[in-house]
Amino acid sequence: MNTEQQLQQTADRLAIRNLVDQYAYCADTRDAQGQMALFTEDTSFLIFMDAQSSQPTQVINNKADLFPVFDNLNTYNATMHFNGQSTVLKLNEETATGITYCIAHHQILKDGTQKLMIAHIKYHDSFVKQNGAWLFSERKLLVDWIENQ
């Protein structure tokens, strides 16, 4: 691999990490449209409320149908999606795969009492580079466990 290829690969890895972090930022700022813009038109978004299940709890097969999922975060008073390690597993010029660990805090105030739901999540992602920008082409959200406080 020559220097130019190494620089491009480093730039691509950084752009992918920024994409992952932008997803969390949009979630926490309730920017559903911004979150949707991070996906390809024909994206696949699969939610596994039980990470051990072979069958997803919910399947979305295009970007337009993501809005209700992302807008649902408005049911919480506050959220904080804390991304941990994020690893690009395979990287080509136009495609990549990766995994990201996330601890997602969801706060509700009910009758003056704070309730907190903390989801421990792994995202298994497929990325595609379109018009020079990395996007999610598939995102699998796998919930390892949930804590309620």
Side-chain angles (χ1 to χ4, degrees), residues 7-27:
L7 288 172
Q8 185 59 55
Q9 189 175 85
T10 300
D12 286 338
R13 288 178 183 278
L14 180 59
I16 289 168
R17 177 57 195 224
N18 286 340
L19 175 69
V20 167
D21 289 342
Q22 188 65 29
Y23 175 92
Y25 176 78
C26 287

Side-chain angles (χ1 to χ4, degrees), residues 78-115:
T79 61
M80 180 180 286
H81 290 73
F82 184 79
N83 289 329
Q85 67 267 36
S86 184
T87 304
V88 174
L89 301 171
K90 286 184 179 180
L91 176 62
N92 300 310
E93 290 179 18
E94 304 290 322
T95 62
T97 60
I99 184 169
T100 297
Y101 288 67
C102 177
I103 301 174
H105 300 77
H106 303 77
Q107 180 208 48
I108 295 176
L109 293 175
K110 191 169 186 177
D111 301 323
T113 303
Q114 174 181 280
K115 302 210 181 255

Side-chain angles (χ1 to χ4, degrees), residues 66-79:
L66 291 171
F67 184 80
V69 174
F70 299 152
D71 188 55
N72 185 59
L73 290 172
N74 285 306
T75 61
Y76 300 100
N77 290 64
T79 61

